[in-house]
Structure formats: C-alpha cells, structure tokens
Amino acid sequence: MKNSFFGKLTFWKVTAIIILIIAAYAVIVRFTYGLGAVTNLKDEFPWGLWIGFDILCGVGLAAGGFTLCGIVYIFNIKSFKPIVRPAVLTAFLGYLLVIAALLIDLGRPYRIWHAIIMWNPRSVMFEVAWCVMLYTTVLALEFSPAVLEKLRWKFPLKIIKSITIPLVILGVLLSTLHQSSLGSVYLIVPSKLYAFWYSPLLPVFFFLSALTIGFAMVIIESYLSSRAFNRQLELPLLIRLGQVMPVLLLVQLVIKIIDFANRGIFNLLFIPRTETYLFYFEILLAIIIPMLMLFNKKIRHSRAGLFYASLIAVLGFILNRMNVSITGMEAGSGTSYTPHWMEFFITLGIVTLGFIAFSYAVKYLNVFEKSSEQVVAESSVVNLAKQLGLQVDK
Amino acid sequence: MGKKAILIDITKCVGCQQCAIACKEENNLPDIEETKLSATAYTVVEERGDHYVRRLCMHCNEPTCVSVCPVGAFDKTPEGAIIYNENKCIGCRYCMMACPFQVPRYEWNSTTPRVQKCRMCIERIQTGDIPACVQACETGASQFGDYYQMLQQAHQAIKNEPDKYVNHIYGEKEVGGTSVLYISDVPFEKLGFKTNLGTMPLPDLTWEALSKIPSVVLVGGTLLYGIWWITNRRKEVAEFERKIKEQEKESKED
C-alpha cells in the first residue's frame, strides 16, 4: 500500500481505465472517419477544445519547468533544487501530451515534419512549431539525468551536466518565445476575438500568466504528491513561490487596467452579455482571489491555503485560455461551439495519461530528492556562503 | 500578366445561380445545390433580404492565409489569385481560423482532408481566359479584368449614379484591399458584410510580434548569461573566501 498510487486508489484506477478505453475508441473513430466524426468543429469554428485546453493550457501549465530551472541554475538559488526535477518532469510530460493532442487535432498529422523543411517565418504557427520541437528536446535533455542515474550511465550523464547552463538558457528563451507566441496566434483575429481578450498585449499576458501558473502548478503537484507518496512537503520553498505569485498577479492586473484604458473599453464591462460575466469570473479566479489569498501571510504559510490559492489560480488560468480560444471567439465567428463528447473523452484520456506517466516516473526514477528534508531545513538563501559550506561538509 | 480583379455589382445580381453551377462544373465538384460555401461549393449566391450576395474567396492583397500557414501551403500568384497547395498542408486550420471573411472550408469527413476555396480559375486566367463564374454571369453582375481597370470602373459607376450606389467599394480598402470588389445600392453592413475589419492588413498585426523575436533572443540570452555569470562568480568568491579562512585557521592551529 505504501507509495503505491494505484494500489491504494482502486476507484481512480478503474476510472482511469474506463476513460482510456473510451478515449482509445474515440481516437480510432477519428482516424477512421476523420475529424468530423468525433468533433463539433466546423468551417466557421475550426479550433475547439483540443487547441483551447490540451494545447494552450497544456503548454501554460508546463511553465514551472523553465521558471524553476532559471531560478536554480541562472540565479543560482540552489535551495530550490529539490523541486526542479518534478517541475521539469511535469513540463516534459506536458509537452509530450501537447504533441499527442496536436497529432490528433492536425488534419494530416503524418505531415507534421513539413514544418521542418517548409518554412514560413511570417507565420506565428511556424514559430510555435519550432518552439515545440526544440523545447521538447531541451526538456528531454534536462530530465535525462533522472533516467541516466537510474541506468548508471556515467559518461552521457557527465556530458549533460557539463552543458546544463547553455541548456537552461536555451530552455528559458524558447519557453519565453513559446508562451508568448501562443498569445500572438490570436493577434490575427481582431474582428473575431471579443475585446476583453483581444489586445495587442496578448503575447505579454500569455507570458506573464504562464509564469505565474508555472509556480502554482509546482505548489499543487508538490502538495498532491506529498500526500500520495507519503513524502515530506517542501513547505518553506513553496511559501516563497507563494510570495512571488501575488506580485506577478498584481503586475498582470495593473497591465490589464492600463490596456483597457489604452483601448478605451471600460464601458464594455457594464454590457450585460455572456462575455462580460465570463470576464468577471475569469478575473476573480485567475487574479483577484489568489492574489488576495497569497498576500495574506496566514493563508500563505499554511499548506491548505497555498494549495487552494494555487488551485483557484489554475482554474482561472484555464478559464482565461478557454475564453481566448473558444467563448471569446464565438460571437465574432457568428456561431457557437460545444465540444462533442468524444472531444471531451480524448482530452480526458490525455490528462489521464499525464497522471499515470507522472506517478510511474516518480515511482521508478529519482524525481523527488531523498534528502529533501535536509535541504529544506537549510532554506535560507540570504546566507549563500554558509549554505555552500554546509554542502561541502556533507 | 498583371493583377486581376472580379467586380461584383450587387444591384445587377438576380440570384440565378449560374455562376455557382459553372464553378462546380469547372472544378469537377459534385452537382448538388448548396446555399453556403463548403468544401464542394467555392462560390454561392446567398439571399440577403431582397438582395443577392455572391460569396467567394476575396483574394486579399495581403492575404492572412498566406501569412499564417506554417508550411507555406498558400501562395498569391502575380494575377492576385490565392492558391492552395494540398501537398504541403498539415491540416492545422490556422488559415480558417485567421481568415477575416471566413472563406476556407475543410473536408471534415475525410482522413486526408484538404482546405477548399475559390482559386479564381487560375489555369484559365493564366491562358487569357476569364473565370468560369464570370463567364456564366448573364446580367453582368460579375465582371473580370485588370485590377485597376475594375477599380476604376467601380468608381465610375458610383460617380455616374451617386443616388443609386452607396459610396463604398467593399474590398477597396478592407484589410489592405482585396481582388474581389463589390458595389451595392444598400450599405454593406445591411447585407451581412463585415464592416469592422479596418484597413490594416492583418499580417501586420502578427508581424509586429514576430519581428521582435531576434531581439528577445539576443537581449534575453545575453541577460541570462550575464545573471548566471554574476551569481556564479559570487558563489566562487564565497567559496574562495571560505577556503582562505580555513587555511588561516589551519595555519593558526599549527
């Protein structure tokens, strides 16, 4: 029972198997009869749940990988090292699942390699394609030490460790480009995307919200995996992430207000229509509530407080991406869209695969450091020299 | 071979559908009557109140589909036609998402789906012929010719009968101009045309962001390297100082 994610939770095991069987059926139908058989997509609304959730949210929620790599390797704040690996693992799995979703969504997935040789640098999608390819490679390399350690392959491990810094710099750059370019994708539809979400600052909003949500995801998965695997929670580290988050959220709120003022659209906030309610709901979940919660020291310093604030922020983030890609696009496209049940199940299947892969990786690879209690106990970064001294003593 | 245009005079269209029929014949499309653009109907005549509006690809001067396609499956020919190369297409459907006129259609029920839309009968016009739809038009509602001549003709028509036509050539300025031009006796928004598109070519909007990539990479890369250099140096100095202290300690103890 101990440490066994599936042994303990048989209900979830059964649920996962049912979801995967239905999803597999939907995938077979999709590749036998075409996208029309499993989706409610149409000519006026060619992108749906898979682009909005699987891809936009998937990439955003993977942002913890590059932010923590940056903190630990570029800013040299080594005390965060215990949570780098789970964050990189999440990001790597996230990107693999994004690619899986892409292969299902593309009309002709077997031609995905065309983007490598048929260039169109004027296309945001071209930039997105290259970022996905390159950053997934970087993530694979960044996560490879966990596998190489297990296999005890010393030489490749040595090579990877020697190129850590260039790799991390490349990863941060590619992520910055990729997160923002997913926002840039929508710059081309000023007449379709509702004014709350269409803004020349879309790439900036996408980048900043991904940055914030990357931290939230690290908090959530540390909390959940500490419960599932009876592991010590790196609370002091998470509290410090919880300190950064509300500041980032405040920055987003301020930029949003400036953006609304620049475009003179405050009056839209008082028009009673679906988009208005969705926008209020989004701002509350994605920014206001988590920001107020995390500015409160008492909430921030409790496990549950941190977890729920992060969870609300993630839900708000998902709502934001859905608003940009689906609900905000409906009126301007002159049509409505509700996902087909098979679209739902393929998405659910992909998420399920993510959970399974994560728990297996944690079980068989050295993802969470064993000495985490020790490192956590020594969480003061201010006294860097002292800490280094301790590490050398070990 | 210069730039061409199709000029559509909405006042002259009687909704006979001859253009749509001719188009289907020319492009070997299934012979069924369709009321909306589809993967098997590149042009249709839609009834809008007591008017008829023919819809087809607008063949933009600065086409959004050409700019957004990651693999460059769309091209604009010197004649102005936007043509699609199905052998390059990966099926991301960004062209459909991005088209301000919602023209491109998809073969949703195929396992090798293609994007479909009007090609301005490119093979015909390259040999000096005119598009099949224009040739089939018996009332003169659709005309084809040199782009500037057509534009001139549209201006002339409005000038000759200012009481009849509204003073707006749809497609002259919309999203940077299109090779399909419309003139009408009622305001275009009343006919269901999108009049909120602005005059700026849409590819400029994404280019604004894309053109910043080199500087993001250069400045970002330098900045990250610089930060690492500083923090790493600090670490080294701290370590060095600690070693010196240890040595001093040792020498004192000696």
Side-chain angles (χ1 to χ4, degrees), chain B residues 36-49:
Chain B
K36 287 250 150 56
L37 288 183
S38 80
T40 53
Y42 302 165
T43 186
V44 289
V45 182
E46 292 181 7
E47 224 180 305
R48 307 264 171 90

Side-chain angles (χ1 to χ4, degrees), chain A residues 229-245:
Chain A
F229 304 109
N230 286 323
R231 204 176 47 77
Q232 187 87 13
L233 185 70
E234 299 88 348
L235 195 60
L237 293 182
L238 302 186
I239 289 171
R240 276 161 62 202
L241 294 183
Q243 253 170 337
V244 182
M245 275 177 62

